[in-house]
Amino acid sequence: MITSSADSGSRSFADGQALGMLLATAAAVAVIWLANRAWRRGPEPTGAVDAEQAGAPAVCRGNSVRGVLLTTAAAGLVWVFTYKG
């Protein structure tokens, strides 16, 4: 039987772990962005007055989601560069 001969102290092993963590962070950001797409847009306006009133909350919700995404991405990058695995 052939056993795995991955050296957990090698540079390529560490690069692979960092790449995996970056991909996990990117997947989390994508899931967050796609999961609340309808919430960010808000309800469909039926007239011109409704469109003006619906614009400001939609921008606010979009900015809230962007803040969460920025926080998630920053946490992922900090995790990658400080991980001692």
Side-chain angles (χ1 to χ4, degrees), residues 37-81:
R37 186 177 1 180
W39 179 76
R40 277 183 282 132
R41 282 192 213 128
E44 290 290 324
T46 56
V49 175
D50 290 340
E52 284 183 27
Q53 292 174 349
V59 169
C60 184
R61 284 182 289 224
N63 289 338
S64 298
V65 172
R66 286 180 192 92
V68 169
L69 293 176
L70 183 63
T71 304
T72 303
L77 288 174
V78 167
W79 181 37
V80 166
F81 290 114

Side-chain angles (χ1 to χ4, degrees), residues 15-55:
D15 289 344
Q17 279 192 326
L19 181 63
M21 287 184 216
L22 286 174
L23 288 174
T25 301
V29 167
V31 166
I32 291 169
W33 183 255
L34 294 174
N36 59 36
R37 186 177 1 180
W39 179 76
R40 277 183 282 132
R41 282 192 213 128
E44 290 290 324
T46 56
V49 175
D50 290 340
E52 284 183 27
Q53 292 174 349

Side-chain angles (χ1 to χ4, degrees), residues 5-21 85:
S5 61
D7 179 17
S8 61
S10 70
R11 173 71 183 180
S12 60
F13 185 81
D15 289 344
Q17 279 192 326
L19 181 63
M21 287 184 216

